[in-house]
Amino acid sequence: MNVLVTGGAGYIGSHTCVAAFAAGHEITVYDNFSNSSPEALERVARIAGKRPRLVEGDIGDRAAVHALLASEKFDAVIHFAGFKAVGESVSKPWEYYNNNVSGTLVLLDEMRRAGLRNMIFSSSATVYGNPDPKNLPLREDAPLSALNPYGQTKLWLEEIMRAMAAADPAWHILLLRYFNPVGAHESGLMGEDPAGIPNNLMPYITQVAVGRLPMLTIFGDDYPTPDGTCIRDYIHVCDLAEGHVAALDKVASLPGCTAVNLGSGNGISVAQLVASFEKAIGRPLPRKVGPRRPGDAAACWADPSRALELLGWKTRRDCDAMCRDAWRWQSMNPNGYRKA
Ligand code: NAD
Ligand code: UFG
């Protein structure tokens, strides 16, 4: 298929480019590099032996999106482009609503004007809000809510796309709800490269291990979980990338708008992830236990059975592989894509 990948230079997008090339697809990346580096696409080319076509631009730039969709015929769009930092969304709500919601509205409008109605959208487990433990593992029909402007953008965009697909049966939309993507390509050439101090657990751990940060703080060990630390459904980014390839294979045969969890179905605690990482690096991490982080759910993991049923996809890589690959990336690239 000829695939347009918005945000294709980002963490999940770059890994998806490699997986999509391996499956024989053609790729055009559309990215404004607001949270990524062109170097990520160089690494894609090194791994895949093929370079995605790059069009630099913003999804909110209607003229540019129009010209892009007029320039060639795409079979599907994988839409990663957007801002994703929960804390920043609380301090900059307008920027999040504008970039994620307004930008996606422009993209959707230009897609329908171009007669392109196969859409694979990056949603998030954040749409389940702070899940009621009785709803675990989370199925796609669990109650939805937003806890912050970032989550609100995902929830609104899901609702907008559901309504558009209900009004026009030509749409084929997959809302992929990612759980916690971690890890890196096994070559160590591509991985997560957050700007500033990481908010998320795995990049924080790898930056402590490489000496960029002094110590990991575990946010709370008094949760009602077996070891007292929070439980999440971590998913290796290469499994996630393969989930997008499976979605490409199926999107044209799934009419309407369908939400699909992309998770492993296994809950892993913060303490277990840290232990697995310490095993991968062969030494203990400097760490301490601190207070709970406001807003954190005690536990959140997926029921991934719909992904297997509809997409024929499930995760293949375990927690040890996630830690090993995350560490290979960080140790080979202590400063991420930036030069030392
Ligand atoms: P990322 O920031 O690494 O990638 C996003 C890419 O989109 C970047 O390359 C950025 O430059 C680009 N971009 C942002 N706004 C743009 C715009 N207006 N026009 C063009 N390009 C733009 O993030 P990621 O981790 O790869 O996440 C990809 C998607 O998956 C996002 O929509 C995110 O909300 C969603 N998601 C991520 C996670 C996660 O933990 N990483 C979890 C759930 C959902
Ligand atoms: N944690 C620590 N120390 C840290 C960072 C995180 O103990 O320095 C803990 C958190 O308290 C939480 C767990 O590690 O218990 C995971 O935290 P992350 O920030 O890595 O991930 P979250 O589950 O909080 O959130 C992530 C994304 C959200 C997304 C959500 C569901 O950041 O955008 O997964 O997909 F909505």
Side-chain angles (χ1 to χ4, degrees):
M1 291 167 82
N2 191 18
V3 187
L4 174 63
V5 183
T6 75
Y11 171 47
I12 304 170
S14 55
H15 288 80
T16 299
C17 287
V18 168
F21 270 147
H25 299 295
E26 294 299 323
I27 300 166
T28 297
V29 166
Y30 187 69
D31 203 304
N32 64 3
F33 298 113
S34 55
N35 195 40
S36 56
S37 161
E39 178 62 21
L41 298 176
E42 294 301 317
R43 306 288 176 98
V44 169
R46 267 173 76 182
I47 296 168
K50 253 180 117 173
R51 188 174 297 278
R53 173 185 172 217
L54 169 66
V55 178
E56 189 169 344
D58 193 297
I59 51 164
D61 181 342
R62 181 180 285 276
V65 174
H66 184 81
L68 172 64
L69 296 185
S71 69
E72 64 181 279
K73 189 184 170 311
F74 294 103
D75 301 304
V77 176
I78 306 181
H79 178 33
F80 293 109
F83 294 154
K84 63 164 182 177
V86 170
E88 187 183 61
S89 80
V90 176
S91 56
K92 295 182 177 171
W94 185 88
E95 283 73 7
Y96 273 67
Y97 295 138
N98 183 54
N99 195 52
N100 294 9
V101 181
S102 306
T104 302
L105 287 177
V106 169
L107 176 65
L108 288 166
D109 193 27
E110 291 300 328
M111 281 177 69
R112 63 182 182 176
R113 287 176 70 188
L116 171 56
R117 288 187 179 76
N118 293 329
M119 171 64 137
I120 295 168
F121 173 63
S122 296
S123 187
S124 165
T126 193
V127 297
Y128 297 114
N130 204 329
D132 187 330
K134 77 174 188 326
N135 292 324
L136 295 171
L138 289 161
R139 284 161 35 116
E140 288 81 355
D141 57 3
L144 305 180
S145 68
L147 302 177
N148 48 65
Y150 167 70
Q152 186 70 67
T153 69
K154 295 297 182 192
L155 205 51
W156 278 338
L157 288 170
E158 283 204 358
E159 283 172 18
I160 289 165
M161 284 185 248
R162 256 191 296 280
M164 288 177 70
D168 175 358
W171 281 103
H172 296 71
I173 302 176
L174 290 172
L175 308 170
L176 301 184
R177 294 178 180 159
Y178 315 153
F179 280 68
N180 289 58
V182 296
H185 191 265
E186 63 177 12
S187 63
L189 291 173
M190 275 186 343
E192 190 170 10
D193 184 20
I197 295 178
N199 300 305
N200 297 117
L201 179 61
M202 183 65 99
Y204 206 102
I205 288 177
T206 61
Q207 291 196 16
V208 170
V210 85
R212 274 172 67 179
L213 292 169
M215 171 150 346
L216 171 71
T217 302
I218 294 175
F219 297 142
D221 66 354
D222 57 351
Y223 283 94
T225 60
D227 64 26
T229 65
C230 292
I231 291 176
R232 295 287 182 274
D233 187 337
Y234 297 96
I235 168 172
H236 194 297
V237 68
C238 293
D239 279 331
L240 188 58
E242 288 165 13
H244 290 79
V245 174
L248 279 176
D249 290 343
K250 293 286 156 61
V251 66
S253 60
L254 292 169
C257 182
T258 313
V260 181
N261 288 336
L262 295 187
S264 71
N266 301 316
I268 295 172
S269 73
V270 174
Q272 286 172 318
L273 190 78
V274 170
S276 181
F277 192 84
E278 289 178 335
K279 189 170 97 183
I281 63 172
R283 59 186 158 92
L285 272 184
R287 58 181 154 96
K288 62 176 188 213
V289 176
R292 292 182 179 194
R293 183 171 69 177
D296 269 345
C300 174
W301 73 92
D303 176 341
S305 44
R306 185 182 282 178
L308 183 60
E309 182 194 327
L310 294 185
L311 308 181
W313 169 92
K314 63 179 169 120
T315 60
R316 299 192 289 130
R317 297 160 178 92
D318 65 9
C319 184
D320 287 345
M322 298 175 206
C323 292
R324 206 170 46 234
D325 293 339
W327 176 235
R328 190 180 297 112
W329 152 252
Q330 189 74 78
S331 53
M332 284 171 61
N333 306 268
N335 297 301
Y337 292 115
R338 288 167 294 277
K339 301 269 183 290

